[in-house]
């Protein structure tokens, strides 16, 4: 059975077509610059990548384009072969602790939650509505980035701010990257040869965005992102944790608006802000290896903040069976993983430096006698969407 996994952004639409339950990717693609002149359409099937440029005015046209490409390239003989469409939805609030079949009520709820994720939920909804229009008889599923973290206990998600903010407005920690933390934790149990019961994991998603999650018995008990994805770790362009009083102080000093100052924390901070060079870890590492002082400072700050969270979650979990690295940096950069493990000397992790050279492949990179294992597991959010879609349409 063919299932389409969709991630709609404000000007992009990413998809993967799976043969399920075999979990085989038949085709994948991306439409960028939707609504702008010269949209870029990239489709890969059987290792063959095609790129075309044409004007795609809106998401409805983008969806039509995806489906016509699938037909034109004979990836499907008929659209009837597609039995389900799964959509990534960033914010499910407290309402959704699992994926759901999309109904009119679900659409209303996702719409209501747009005030908590104004950049993402509206774009996700546009994608959902566009597919509903073109494939009216196909079941659509919403898979939420926040759902995995709904198991956090109240001490982990409540901010010590006025309680009425939580009651009236839902101000609390929600956490993000839930599909990624869920996927790598499930793979980790397989690699460790242990079930979730009694296993304590710290999953470390280090991509452009970054977050750490403490997982006990298969459940998220705390995660570093909060009410929004701005906080927690230092990221490519996001600051992570900073004192909120910095905002009015800098606004006054630089005579700039609240929005500009918040934008600086979202888009001009993190690796980019400190290195004065780039948000891309490959550039930072090049700078580090060439002795560039600003890159070294950015890297050291980055490592410290990851370790601070790992230390905190180690205590929270009362120990840890494995650290799991994933996403662009976590999967590919042995240098970053080693710097983190070196700084965690108190945990006496025995890194296998040869094994730690691995890039983008599932593996255990600690010596067999290391009490805490370190795993590298490439994430696969699209597959989580496809699996949940299969589960809910069956
Ligand atoms: P993601 O958001 O998961 O695509 O991750 C993007 C981040 O991964 C960027 O900071 C990239 O520089 C980083 N990245 C990708 N490949 C490597 C690599 N080989 N070494 C270091 N960082 C990498």
């Amino acid at each position: 059975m063919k299932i389409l996994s969709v991630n709609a952004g404000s000007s992009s639409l990413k998809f993967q077509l799976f043969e399920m339950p075999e979990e085989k990717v038949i085709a994948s693609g991306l439409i960028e610059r939707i609504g702008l002149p010269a949209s870029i359409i990239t489709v890969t099937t059987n290792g063959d990548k095609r790129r075309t440029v044409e004007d795609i005015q809106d998401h409805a046209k983008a969806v039509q384009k995806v489906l016509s490409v699938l037909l034109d390239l004979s990836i499907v003989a008929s659209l009837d072969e597609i039995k389900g469409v799964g959509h990534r939805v960033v914010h499910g609030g407290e309402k959704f602790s699992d994926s759901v079949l999309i109904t009119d009520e679900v659409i209303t709820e996702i719409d209501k939650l747009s005030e908590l994720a104004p950049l993402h939920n509206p774009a996700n909804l546009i994608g959902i509505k566009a597919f509903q229009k073109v494939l009216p008889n196909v079941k659509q599923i919403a898979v939420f980035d926040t759902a995995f973290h709904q198991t956090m206990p109240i001490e982990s998600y409540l901010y010590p701010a006025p309680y009425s903010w939580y009651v009236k407005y839902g101000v609390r920690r929600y956490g993000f990257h839930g599909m990624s933390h869920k996927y790598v934790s499930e793979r980790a149990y397989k690699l460790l040869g242990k079930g979730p019961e009694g296993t304590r994991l710290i999953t470390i998603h280090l991509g452009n965005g970054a977050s750490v999650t403490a997982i006990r018995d298969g459940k998220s008990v705390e995660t570093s992102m909060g009410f929004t994805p701005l906080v927690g770790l230092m990221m490519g362009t996001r600051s992570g944790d900073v004192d909120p009083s910095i905002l009015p102080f800098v606004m006054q000093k630089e005579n700039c608006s609240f929005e500009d100052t918040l934008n600086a924390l979202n888009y001009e901070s993190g690796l980019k802000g400190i290195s004065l060079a780039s948000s891309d870890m490959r550039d930072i590492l090049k700078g580090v290896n060439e002795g560039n002082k600003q890159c070294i400072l950015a890297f050291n700050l980055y490592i410290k903040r990851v370790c601070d969270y790992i230390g905190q979650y180690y205590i929270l979990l009362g120990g840890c069976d494995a650290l799991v690295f994933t996403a662009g940096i976590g999967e590919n950069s042995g240098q970053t993983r080693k710097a983190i493990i070196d700084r965690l000397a108190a945990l006496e992790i025995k890194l296998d430096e040869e094994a730690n050279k691995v890039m983008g492949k599932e593996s255990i990179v600690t010596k067999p006698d290391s009490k805490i294992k370190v795993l590298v597991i490439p994430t696969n959010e699209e597959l989580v969407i496809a699996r949940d879609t299969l589960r809910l349409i069956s």
Side-chain angles (χ1 to χ4, degrees):
M1 162 192 319
K2 293 188 176 57
I3 284 178
L4 200 56
S5 163
V6 175
N7 184 353
S10 55
S11 66
S12 68
L13 187 87
K14 228 166 140 181
F15 72 90
Q16 276 195 13
L17 183 68
F18 286 88
E19 187 66 52
M20 297 296 280
E22 294 81 357
E23 305 193 342
K24 183 169 174 261
V25 178
I26 307 169
S28 61
L30 171 66
I31 302 189
E32 296 164 275
R33 293 176 54 87
I34 297 171
L36 296 171
S39 314
I40 304 163
I41 303 141
T42 318
V43 178
T44 305
T45 182
N46 286 328
D48 183 18
K49 192 171 183 172
R50 290 156 207 257
R51 186 174 182 275
T52 51
V53 176
E54 66 181 85
D55 292 352
I56 306 274
Q57 289 90 348
D58 54 34
H59 281 75
K61 293 266 176 346
V63 170
Q64 280 164 3
K65 184 75 203 170
V66 168
L67 298 176
S68 66
V69 165
L70 295 178
L71 286 168
D72 293 348
L73 296 178
S74 305
I75 296 165
V76 294
S78 146
L79 293 180
D80 294 342
E81 288 178 33
I82 300 172
K83 300 295 182 204
V85 181
H87 296 265
R88 175 183 186 214
V89 178
V90 166
H91 219 305
E94 288 191 328
K95 179 86 191 169
F96 299 106
S97 54
D98 193 5
S99 305
V100 283
L101 182 71
I102 297 173
T103 59
D104 288 348
E105 291 76 45
V106 169
I107 288 187
T108 306
E109 288 298 333
I110 295 172
D111 193 26
K112 274 195 213 156
L113 290 163
S114 288
E115 66 172 357
L116 297 179
L119 297 179
H120 296 103
N121 275 28
N124 302 151
L125 269 181
I126 290 172
I128 290 170
K129 288 178 180 167
F131 270 99
Q132 280 186 325
K133 211 164 161 189
V134 185
L135 298 175
N137 300 320
V138 176
K139 285 182 181 159
Q140 318 250 349
I141 305 298
V143 185
F144 301 93
D145 239 3
T146 47
F148 182 61
H149 300 301
Q150 278 297 302
T151 47
M152 283 189 287
I154 191 162
E155 306 86 63
S156 292
Y157 70 70
L158 195 62
Y159 291 119
Y163 188 66
S164 61
W165 294 3
Y166 168 61
V167 177
K168 287 200 282 188
Y169 313 122
V171 171
R172 51 159 282 178
R173 180 193 303 282
Y174 289 99
F176 298 87
H177 290 146
M179 290 176 241
S180 178
H181 290 291
K182 178 175 182 220
Y183 176 80
V184 300
S185 63
E186 287 172 356
R187 290 301 310 159
Y189 303 128
K190 295 246 157 60
L191 250 70
L192 293 168
K194 289 180 172 186
E197 295 318 311
T199 304
R200 297 155 303 178
L201 300 177
I202 299 175
T203 51
I204 307 151
H205 178 114
L206 303 179
N208 233 329
S211 63
V212 190
T213 298
I215 301 174
R216 184 192 289 125
D217 301 332
K219 296 193 174 88
S220 168
V221 290
E222 173 112 44
T223 191
S224 60
M225 282 178 167
F227 181 65
T228 72
L230 172 60
V231 296
L233 298 178
M234 172 174 170
M235 307 180 214
T237 64
R238 280 172 255 171
S239 60
D241 298 332
V242 293
D243 183 337
S245 307
I246 292 170
L247 279 165
F249 180 80
V250 173
M251 278 164 67
Q252 197 187 20
K253 289 282 176 201
E254 302 233 322
N255 192 23
C256 59
S257 68
F258 174 76
E259 202 178 19
D260 287 345
T261 320
L262 190 63
N263 277 344
L265 290 178
N266 267 307
Y267 303 112
E268 303 296 333
S269 300
L271 290 173
K272 185 179 178 193
I274 301 297
S275 71
L276 307 174
S278 172
S279 62
D280 191 300
M281 186 54 102
R282 284 165 290 203
D283 298 332
I284 303 298
L285 290 172
K286 188 164 174 285
V288 167
N289 299 334
E290 289 169 359
N292 177 301
K293 283 207 176 82
Q294 229 40 56
C295 287
I296 292 171
L297 180 60
F299 186 68
N300 290 345
L301 200 52
Y302 185 92
I303 299 299
K304 175 184 184 295
R305 290 190 156 222
V306 176
C307 293
D308 288 351
Y309 268 98
I310 294 173
Q312 186 186 326
Y313 291 174
Y314 179 85
I315 300 296
L316 179 79
L317 292 170
C320 172
D321 298 290
L323 305 181
V324 185
F325 284 94
T326 193
I329 300 166
E331 291 166 22
N332 295 303
S333 175
Q335 187 173 348
T336 306
R337 292 190 298 259
K338 178 169 162 36
I340 291 168
I341 304 304
D342 285 350
R343 199 182 161 98
L344 293 170
L347 301 188
E348 298 180 347
I349 295 168
K350 295 183 184 168
L351 190 69
D352 178 337
E353 299 212 8
E354 201 45 44
N356 187 44
K357 289 180 182 158
V358 70
M359 291 175 78
K361 244 177 68 188
E362 276 188 8
S363 46
I364 299 180
V365 299
T366 33
K367 296 188 175 146
D369 62 339
S370 182
K371 264 171 74 188
I372 301 175
K373 310 288 180 209
V374 176
L375 313 183
V376 174
I377 301 183
T379 193
N380 195 340
E381 290 163 298
E382 293 77 15
L383 183 55
V384 173
I385 295 173
R387 281 180 183 166
D388 276 13
T389 304
L390 176 66
R391 171 168 62 90
L392 287 165
I393 64 172
S394 296

